[in-house]
Amino acid sequence: MRITELLTKNTIHLHLKSSQKAEVIEELVQVLDVAGKLNDRAEYKQAIFHREEQSTTGIGEGIAIPHAKTAAVKAPAIVFGRSVSGIEYESLDGMPAHLFFMIAAPEGANDTHLQALSKLSTILLKEEVRKQLLEAQTEEEALAIINEHDVQEEEEEEAVSVAENEPFVVAVTACPTGIAHTYMSADSLKAKAEEMGIAIKVETNGSGGAKNVLTSEEIERATAVIVAADTQVQMARFNGKHVIEVPVAEGIRKPQELIERALKQEAPIFKDSSNKDDHGHKESASRGIGATIYKHLMSGVSNMLPFVIGGGILIALGFLFGYNAHDPNDPSYNIIAEALNTIGGGNAFALMVPVLAGFIAMSIADRPGFAPGMVGGMMAATSGAGFLGGLVAGFLGGYIVVGIRKLLAGLPSSLEGIKTILLFPLLGIAITGFIMHFVVNTPLSALNTWISNWLSSLGTANAVLLGVILGLMMAIDMGGPINKAAYLFGTGLIASGVYEPMAAIMAGGMVPPLGIALATFLFKNKFSKQEREAGPVNIVMGLSFITEGAIPFAAADPLRVIPSVAVGAAVAGGLSMMFNIGLQAPHGGIFVFPLVSGSWLLYLLAVIIGAIVSAILLGLLKKPVK
């Protein structure tokens, strides 16, 4: 497929009006939407900002390639935008970006589409192409430039031929979406290696799967390995090799430095303690302890949430028949209510802590860690240690298996086959279970009970203060670590039977986009045209409990927007606690309001008041747009 089948005249905008990153993303999304390439503009824009949170797509050299692969895309497309004056885009080289290529790939994008998208990233590495695009006068001229170089790039990957004593470097590139950075990093490394006269082979782990896969013979022959990736790649195959691990952007920006380090073998030798059947990997040396713990924790939480959300909503639906309608001995008994409570509470909720622990352990020790983590999590759930016990069980089970691997590393190779099937689960489950039973469960059960009793016995003033704090946390960084910490706190309390904090958390998370949307209607002169157009979208996102809808506005004017939405979110959280609202479903926004315990009308009032407070503060603090 040719690039010009995805980049067409109606997806080219040669005169961008934006001056800031959030604005240019909004402007490019608008072009895609008008061209009929999107199913859901808001969802696609959210996916773009989510990708930007992982790492900037401003790759330097005046180029930015924001991209996302999502079901919100109707048809694969590329939009080209140009700013002659340049836009600050948090680029890797700190310079303004002039050329913007926004890539939209549908969830089921096939290899043909992805290959065309990857060819674009390769073409943009050429300085003459960038210069020609900056000077293009018409859309037709820009298309002709891309088309000309597209022809030149249609070449098959050639096999790498290396002499016996010649230096040889192998590399793997991967980014979270596997669309642009993966291939730009690979091409940058290959181009620099050719310039230096060094043989190199680069495997790309893109959306269409791994391409140009390294063979065991090539890995064995290599002087060193470069892994330029922002997502996990299979590392066990590099056991015993010098491995350089860096973010994918380093492959684009510093290819010569990486190749020189590889030639000098300036990297630690990778030691994989797993057996050949495991997809073992070591933590990057550059990842701090806090970031490592956070990564494992989020792995557990993300896998636990479907159980919490699905189970919570089913339990809440059962309350529609009566608060005790699930109890056969209650006059309001209903067989459907009993079934909903059994499915949601007796089963989905029963699995949430074991699943949390199992996936934390699996993130640490791969598949051998899963069983010890699950068993430890089940012991925490049944003993009353609850969510806190599940956290301990996950990390305990994972690192116990890591230790077992090291202890058994010296066993004869003839016993390798029984490690995964026998030794790891036997020893891992036993040791984790003994520690949980004799050391962890009793004190954590007591602590969990104390926390639950303390929260349940809070006076009105203290409950309101807690709601204010939780609301603030949800709005301060809107999807960042502070926001996630508050959300994690609320979901953990649901497992312990305390539901009021979760209601305050969701109210606080809904306010930022709703307050901003209201402000765009009430104070039109304080917002640009693009921001006013985004206002209605934020209503939908706010009502759906998608706090991230406020991010573009916060990024454009953080000193005024963040305090305004934070105060409104704090008010909503405090009112929710004051009205004694409980929520067992930790997501769903307004769609689960009828399922809350307490008055859903008062809960709605708390959110409305918070949004009004935020809107008024925005109107007072923001300056008129010229």
Side-chain angles (χ1 to χ4, degrees):
M1 174 178 279
R2 303 296 297 277
I3 293 173
T4 47
E5 293 180 47
L6 304 177
L7 175 65
T8 58
K9 183 178 178 180
N10 64 341
T11 58
I12 294 179
H13 187 3
L14 296 179
H15 305 286
L16 290 171
K17 300 176 182 178
S18 306
S19 59
Q20 296 177 332
K21 179 176 180 176
E23 293 175 354
V24 75
I25 288 176
E26 174 66 39
E27 199 169 346
L28 295 172
V29 171
Q30 170 74 8
V31 174
L32 280 171
D33 194 33
V34 171
K37 303 297 183 182
L38 304 178
N39 290 315
D40 189 323
R41 173 176 167 171
E43 184 181 338
Y44 175 72
K45 185 169 67 172
Q46 183 187 359
I48 288 287
F49 279 111
H50 179 68
R51 173 63 186 88
E52 292 295 326
E53 289 174 6
Q54 297 172 30
S55 62
T56 181
T57 57
I59 62 174
E61 305 293 347
I63 304 171
I65 309 183
H67 54 275
K69 183 180 179 185
T70 167
V73 177
K74 184 186 300 182
I78 303 170
V79 57
F80 168 43
R82 186 181 67 184
S83 171
V84 176
S85 59
I87 296 171
E88 293 298 329
Y89 199 87
E90 303 172 6
S91 298
L92 295 174
D93 57 5
M95 301 300 291
H98 298 270
L99 304 175
F100 300 85
F101 287 86
M102 178 174 280
I103 298 172
E107 196 68 58
N110 58 35
D111 287 349
T112 307
H113 293 142
L114 296 172
Q115 287 165 9
L117 298 175
S118 70
K119 280 196 294 181
L120 171 66
S121 62
T122 304
I123 291 171
L124 292 175
L125 287 174
K126 297 183 176 182
E127 184 177 355
E128 66 269 25
V129 175
R130 301 195 297 269
K131 185 174 184 296
Q132 290 170 0
L133 289 173
L134 277 173
E135 296 172 352
Q137 298 299 310
T138 64
E139 290 84 355
E140 290 83 359
E141 188 177 342
L143 286 171
I145 294 167
I146 296 293
N147 211 29
E148 175 189 353
H149 292 274
D150 191 7
V151 175
Q152 297 173 2
E153 294 297 326
E154 292 178 350
E155 299 177 0
E156 293 294 324
E157 185 75 40
E158 296 182 0
V160 180
S161 178
V162 189
E164 182 71 25
N165 57 353
E166 181 184 352
F168 176 47
V169 177
V170 296
V172 181
T173 62
C175 76
T177 51
I179 295 176
H181 284 53
T182 298
Y183 302 101
M184 294 194 76
S185 185
D187 292 323
S188 180
L189 287 166
K190 288 189 285 188
K192 183 56 66 175
E194 182 179 357
E195 180 185 315
M196 297 169 66
I198 303 298
I200 190 170
K201 180 174 179 180
V202 186
E203 174 186 311
T204 54
N205 287 359
S207 294
K211 304 293 183 184
N212 210 28
V213 177
L214 302 174
T215 66
S216 56
E217 292 79 10
E218 288 166 337
I219 295 171
E220 181 64 28
R221 170 73 182 82
T223 307
V225 181
I226 299 170
V227 177
D230 289 336
T231 187
Q232 184 175 324
V233 300
Q234 187 180 346
M235 295 292 291
R237 52 188 168 155
F238 303 135
N239 189 41
K241 304 297 295 185
H242 291 273
V243 178
I244 301 168
E245 292 186 77
V246 294
V248 67
E250 295 288 288
I252 302 172
R253 299 297 309 149
K254 301 177 181 178
Q256 182 169 341
E257 177 184 321
L258 294 176
I259 293 171
E260 288 175 348
R261 286 177 57 191
L263 295 175
K264 298 175 183 177
Q265 296 186 328
E266 292 181 356
I269 295 177
F270 180 80
K271 295 182 179 179
D272 177 56
S273 56
S274 67
N275 65 69
K276 62 184 179 182
D277 292 323
D278 298 324
H279 298 288
H281 64 284
K282 78 177 184 65
E283 295 294 339
S284 171
S286 61
R287 189 189 294 273
I289 294 176
T292 299
I293 292 174
Y294 181 77
K295 169 182 172 288
H296 298 320
L297 179 60
M298 286 300 106
S299 178
V301 170
S302 63
N303 284 285
M304 175 194 74
L305 280 180
F307 294 87
V308 186
I309 294 170
I313 292 176
L314 288 173
I315 294 172
L317 285 172
F319 290 155
L320 296 178
F321 296 92
Y323 193 77
N324 294 312
H326 63 279
D327 184 357
N329 299 317
D330 193 89
S332 64
Y333 170 72
N334 183 285
I335 191 170
I336 301 299
E338 181 187 20
L340 289 170
N341 188 72
T342 300
I343 297 168
N347 293 277
F349 264 30
L351 286 169
M352 57 187 284
V353 172
V355 167
L356 169 75
F359 279 95
I360 289 175
M362 187 174 178
S363 177
I364 295 168
D366 292 298
R367 285 175 296 177
F370 187 67
M374 280 287 289
V375 173
M378 180 62 76
M379 294 178 70
T382 55
S383 70
F387 186 78
L388 294 176
L391 292 177
V392 173
F395 285 99
L396 185 64
Y399 284 113
I400 282 175
V401 171
V402 170
I404 292 171
R405 278 177 168 165
K406 292 180 179 179
L407 289 174
L408 302 182
L411 287 179
S413 58
S414 59
L415 297 178
E416 283 292 316
I418 68 169
K419 283 184 180 180
T420 301
I421 196 66
L422 175 61
L423 298 180
F424 288 156
L426 174 62
L427 297 176
I429 291 173
I431 296 173
T432 302
F434 270 96
I435 295 176
M436 290 297 297
H437 184 75
F438 290 107
V439 179
V440 175
N441 282 348
T442 300
L444 280 189
S445 177
L447 176 61
N448 194 50
T449 301
W450 180 83
I451 291 173
S452 299
N453 291 338
W454 175 72
L455 288 169
S456 300
S457 64
L458 282 178
T460 302
N462 288 331
V464 170
L465 177 60
L466 177 61
V468 167
I469 293 171
L470 292 173
L472 277 171
M473 292 176 70
M474 289 299 292
I476 286 294
D477 60 352
M478 291 170 276
I482 298 175
N483 172 286
K484 286 184 172 63
Y487 189 75
L488 189 61
F489 176 73
T491 53
L493 290 176
I494 287 177
S496 302
V498 180
Y499 309 121
E500 288 77 13
M502 190 67 241
I505 286 165
M506 192 161 80
M510 293 173 68
V511 162
L514 290 175
I516 287 171
L518 182 59
T520 61
F521 288 109
L522 298 178
F523 309 102
K524 296 181 184 293
N525 67 321
K526 301 294 181 78
F527 297 90
S528 66
K529 181 182 177 183
Q530 291 91 344
E531 288 175 328
R532 291 197 302 273
E533 290 175 350
V537 175
N538 270 270
I539 294 177
V540 177
M541 298 183 80
L543 292 176
S544 303
F545 184 37
I546 302 175
T547 314
E548 289 83 353
I551 289 177
F553 295 84
D557 191 4
L559 294 180
R560 295 178 179 85
V561 173
I562 292 177
S564 299
V565 299
V567 171
V571 169
L575 288 174
S576 175
M577 291 294 284
M578 185 174 75
F579 296 150
N580 199 31
I581 307 297
L583 179 64
Q584 296 191 42
H587 217 294
I590 196 169
F591 303 104
V592 297
F593 272 34
L595 307 180
V596 301
S597 59
S599 171
W600 71 268
L601 287 173
L602 287 178
Y603 191 37
L604 179 62
L605 180 64
V607 174
I608 292 173
I609 292 174
I612 292 173
V613 169
S614 288
I616 292 173
L617 287 174
L618 285 166
L620 294 174
L621 296 178
K622 282 183 69 65
K623 296 180 179 179
V625 174
K626 296 181 181 180

